[in-house]
Amino acid sequence: MKRIIALLLCVACLFTVISCGSAYPPVESTEEEQRTVMTLTLEGKSYEVKYELYRAFALMYRDEMAEGVSDPWSDDALVDALHARVCEQIYEIYATLALCETVGIDLYDKETDDTVEEYIRLSIEGDDYFEGLGSYDAYLAALKEDYLNYAVADLLYRYSIGQDALYTYYMGTYDYITDTYKDSALTVTDEKVNVFYAADDTARVMLIYLSHQVYSDAEARLTRSTLLAELGDGGEAAMADWLLRHTATSEQITRGEILSPYTLDDLVYADVTEAALALGVGEMSELIPVSGDDVYGYYLVYRMDKPASYLEDNRSDVRDTYLLHEIGKIFSSTKDALRDSRTDAPLLATLDIATMSMD
């Protein structure tokens, strides 16, 4: 499964511009917003993380984590959990920036600037397919509503571009004629794919998604009970048949897919990966809540056998998953290095999540 960027942002919030000659000139951050909350270091280069970026994710996650909790921010454990979540997102952003620099991807060149400028124009003025926001003031107001200022939106947009560029660099360009990726920066051989497939921490699983748009909590629990009953009565084939007849699950899902500690986006799917690798063959997970940029609901994970025949019948798919595994390892090691290098500024200890705001 493709790693998913865990930014709970609307598209309009990502359209920004850097050119001073633009019809929509940059808006400078305030001195308060530009204060440093922490410094990350990688291979001799330092990255100063500003309050404006920390605030964006802190406010975003605060809304979600406080839901249904009375006086949540008097709970030190919850505050610590929110801080950890914000930091993981920050590591992801700066790992992307650092890796782009390492492989020679310039996220601040003229081509990127021009692309970004066109996006902001479209977000404001619209086109034949999209009704724009109408004015630059409306655009800036939309940013603020999503806890962003100009500088943070610009950084997040370039981060998104960097993610796409890195996956193209590492995976290569997809060739629809041969159904393969070409010009990958990573070397893939049959032997490497065989070793990856046979590894103890590589699992074949059904990842069954139950969207909150379709399933209430009670319906999701009933679905799990029904699947367990089908599994007990008729095995995997009966469970798969029920899924195909009664849910939006596809044959690709019921056939199973390969998962490792690095193939899914850990910002969104960490609990799914942990549950999958803890299951024994033939076991099903509990309902796992998942919330991300295009998922909001539950996952059920069923761990399947991993016979040699599956690899031979699905070698192309497994090869692509191996590439995602290797890319995930690169991101993970880079984030680990940034995490270990972190130095907190005195400001960070003084921040009050309960009173933090955009004003």
Side-chain angles (χ1 to χ4, degrees), residues 15-287:
F15 293 156
T16 182
V17 64
I18 194 69
S19 170
C20 293
S22 168
Y24 306 109
V27 177
E28 186 175 356
S29 301
T30 66
E31 290 185 5
E32 178 184 13
E33 290 172 326
Q34 294 182 63
R35 293 177 297 169
T36 298
V37 295
M38 65 182 70
T39 302
L40 308 175
T41 305
L42 186 69
E43 297 180 352
K45 182 176 177 60
S46 293
Y47 301 90
E48 291 189 354
V49 180
K50 304 301 183 181
Y51 168 70
E52 58 198 0
L53 179 63
Y54 187 94
R55 176 185 63 184
F57 289 105
L59 292 178
M60 183 191 307
Y61 295 145
R62 183 182 71 178
D63 292 351
E64 178 184 336
M65 296 175 70
E67 187 174 352
V69 181
S70 176
D71 193 21
W73 306 118
S74 62
D75 183 346
D76 290 342
L78 192 59
V79 173
D80 290 344
L82 181 142
H83 173 68
R85 191 173 177 187
V86 171
C87 287
E88 287 304 311
Q89 181 65 76
I90 289 171
Y91 302 144
E92 176 83 8
I93 291 169
Y94 282 97
T96 300
L97 300 183
L99 286 170
C100 282
E101 290 187 29
T102 298
V103 304
I105 297 170
D106 188 351
L107 296 180
Y108 291 88
D109 62 5
K110 186 178 185 305
E111 182 180 357
T112 305
D113 291 347
D114 289 346
T115 300
V116 170
E117 185 163 350
E118 177 63 8
Y119 276 131
I120 190 172
R121 187 194 68 77
L122 288 173
S123 71
I124 293 172
E125 300 174 16
D127 60 14
D128 292 339
Y129 304 97
F130 171 73
E131 182 178 355
L133 295 169
S135 71
Y136 194 31
D137 286 343
Y139 165 74
L140 295 175
L143 294 183
K144 186 174 182 179
E145 186 175 344
D146 282 291
Y147 307 129
L148 307 175
N149 64 2
Y150 178 92
V152 173
D154 181 77
L155 177 64
L156 294 181
Y157 190 72
R158 293 174 192 275
Y159 154 65
S160 179
I161 292 174
Q163 284 264 314
D164 289 343
L166 283 171
Y167 273 90
T168 298
Y169 173 81
Y170 287 121
M171 290 199 74
T173 303
Y174 185 70
D175 187 327
Y176 288 92
I177 297 176
T178 61
D179 195 29
T180 59
Y181 286 92
K182 292 186 175 181
D183 302 321
S184 168
L186 300 173
T187 302
V188 184
T189 65
D190 282 346
E191 180 58 28
K192 287 182 178 181
V193 174
N194 293 345
V195 171
F196 165 70
Y197 184 76
D200 290 339
D201 62 353
T202 300
R204 177 185 171 214
V205 295
M206 286 189 201
L207 297 178
I208 304 161
Y209 177 54
L210 305 176
S211 169
H212 278 316
Q213 292 183 325
V214 179
Y215 296 87
S216 66
D217 291 349
E219 289 168 338
R221 290 192 295 269
L222 178 60
T223 298
R224 181 179 183 273
S225 297
T226 301
L227 291 175
L228 288 173
E230 292 289 332
L231 186 64
D233 291 342
E236 285 182 8
M239 183 176 71
D241 181 65
W242 189 92
L243 282 166
L244 293 171
R245 286 187 291 113
H246 297 285
T247 73
T249 303
S250 68
E251 290 186 7
Q252 183 177 3
I253 292 172
T254 58
R255 183 174 68 241
E257 62 183 280
I258 302 303
L259 172 148
S260 84
Y262 303 106
T263 52
L264 300 182
D265 180 2
D266 55 357
L267 289 172
V268 179
Y269 297 101
D271 291 342
V272 173
T273 298
E274 181 180 1
L277 297 178
L279 293 170
V281 172
E283 293 181 342
M284 180 180 291
S285 71
E286 299 293 332
L287 291 166

